[in-house]
């Protein structure tokens, strides 16, 4: 399968054109996702920062001494 098949699948799902085969079929609208609180955003950013810090100070185990 060439890469155009994957691009077609992505584009078909991105703009709601592949929801039904019938021309006048009703569309189902997705409910909006709830917004994150400031606490959740801050917690996620701190967790990401701590992970990056841990990866930065992690010893390289690929070296053979």
């Amino acid at each position: 399968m060439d890469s155009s098949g994957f691009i077609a699948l992505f584009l078909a799902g991105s703009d709601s054109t592949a929801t039904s085969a019938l021309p006048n079929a009703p569309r189902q609208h997705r409910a909006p996702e709830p917004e994150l609180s400031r606490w959740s955003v801050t917690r996620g950013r701190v967790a990401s920062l701590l992970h990056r810090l841990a990866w930065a100070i992690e010893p390289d185990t690929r070296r053979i001494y």
Side-chain angles (χ1 to χ4, degrees):
M1 179 179 215
D2 59 351
S3 62
S4 64
F6 291 115
I7 294 172
L9 287 174
F10 173 73
L11 292 176
S14 66
D15 62 354
S16 300
T17 57
T19 55
S20 176
L22 300 174
N24 295 325
R27 293 185 181 227
Q28 295 180 350
H29 297 284
R30 293 182 183 172
E33 296 181 8
E35 294 185 20
L36 295 175
S37 67
R38 284 186 180 177
W39 169 247
S40 296
V41 172
T42 303
R43 190 177 70 178
R45 287 182 180 165
V46 168
S48 184
L49 176 73
L50 290 174
H51 276 100
R52 289 181 183 181
L53 180 64
W55 290 332
I57 62 173
E58 180 180 354
D60 189 16
T61 58
R62 292 177 289 171
R63 281 202 230 166
I64 299 174
Y65 293 103

